[in-house]
Amino acid sequence: MPYRPKSTMEQWRILQAVVDAGGYAQAADLLNKSQSSLNHAVAKLQYQLGVELLEVKGRKAFLTPAGEVMLRRSRLLTQQIEDLELLASNINVGWEPEIRIAVELVYPKQILYRALAKFHPLSRGSRIQIIDTVITGSTEMILEHKADLVIAASPSVPRGYIGEPLSVTQMFPVVGKNHVLAQQNVLDLNELSQYLQIVIRDTANKPKDVGWLRAEQRWTVNNFFEAVDILKNGIGFCWLPEFLICDLIKDGTLKRLPITQSSARAVPLALVTPKEETLGPGSRQLRELLLAEHKIINNGENHE
């Protein structure tokens, strides 16, 4: 006899909502359902499986050890169903209404803008959403399939995903012209750790303390432009991409620090497609245009 499932996708989605929202009442508001119906659905799921998935303490519902395992597996299953339905929608409609592009902040966006300028006449009205990401925020975008295309630093590409090489961004430690370090001719990396460092906020929901964060004193900002404004006031040092600071170094506004061990960091960048099997035709076309722009640059051709 063919296998007949004991549970339904709706039951698993309700369980996920209860856990994510932190309780039955909160999940009921989120799903626009009655609290009693959610209680009944989860109770029936536990009865059908013969496994206790949730236990209620006070007003909050907590996963049991078995529930944690089952929930992880259920998320994979519901994601696959969503991808399958999205694939059907794309096949039916033929062109996605919105394309989401996640871009690591150290990537020179002018290249992306040139690709978008060529894509615009072909876009059929597709909305474009560009999302800035930093450090593990790029990894999160890939793993959670939050964008159609992701431009990430190669170390941020998680295992199981392939990144198409794009370019390499050089990062330099710099200070404002009035900073005490601007007068140094030679600087040891350990000396640098004694000074205030300006860092860019990781965009992940659960950021990790990674990168070149040697300094104990740190100020965290949202983007490179805020960092530059602070540096201009003679406060702190920061690792910044060459494309952003080359003119500021030329006119003397910023000073590159001469670190003996290494005064530059190379950040290779790659283009990742988190959901290749459900990627829409618009996203595919934009991806090809972006890769073509990088091919022009790599071949040394004039792209202006």
Side-chain angles (χ1 to χ4, degrees), residues 165-268:
L166 293 179
S167 59
V168 176
T169 292
Q170 295 292 331
M171 303 286 291
F172 299 125
V174 294
V175 293
K177 62 182 179 181
N178 296 323
H179 194 283
V180 63
L181 292 177
Q183 311 307 319
Q184 294 273 17
N185 293 321
V186 180
L187 186 64
D188 186 87
L189 202 58
N190 292 324
E191 292 180 67
L192 190 62
S193 67
Q194 307 303 312
Y195 292 87
L196 173 69
Q197 181 176 3
I198 311 301
V199 299
I200 313 303
R201 180 173 286 104
D202 191 325
T203 55
N205 286 326
K206 295 181 179 178
K208 295 181 180 178
D209 198 17
V210 297
W212 313 305
L213 308 179
R214 293 180 176 273
E216 288 299 322
Q217 301 178 67
R218 302 176 200 164
W219 287 3
T220 303
V221 297
N222 289 319
N223 55 61
F224 290 135
F225 300 104
E226 291 180 4
V228 168
D229 284 342
I230 293 174
L231 295 180
K232 286 179 179 178
N233 284 279
I235 305 170
F237 74 92
C238 186
W239 289 85
L240 293 174
E242 182 180 21
F243 67 83
L244 180 70
I245 59 173
C246 56
D247 289 339
L248 294 171
I249 289 177
K250 284 179 182 177
D251 68 19
T253 301
L254 298 181
K255 174 74 182 297
R256 182 176 164 185
L257 295 176
I259 302 175
T260 53
Q261 291 91 334
S262 176
S263 58
R265 297 285 189 271
V267 181

Side-chain angles (χ1 to χ4, degrees), residues 70-120:
M70 301 292 282
L71 182 71
R72 282 198 301 271
R73 295 293 294 271
S74 77
R75 289 193 193 278
L76 293 174
L77 185 60
T78 53
Q79 183 62 56
Q80 288 173 344
I81 293 295
E82 288 175 14
D83 288 346
L84 189 62
E85 291 172 352
L86 180 59
L87 175 59
S89 175
N90 282 341
I91 291 172
N92 183 43
V93 176
W95 198 271
E96 57 268 55
E98 181 178 84
I99 298 172
R100 293 167 59 87
I101 312 164
V103 185
E104 166 62 51
L105 216 58
V106 301
Y107 175 78
K109 281 202 184 80
Q110 287 301 324
I111 306 173
L112 171 62
Y113 298 154
R114 288 197 292 270
L116 285 171
K118 294 176 181 179
F119 176 72
H120 182 244

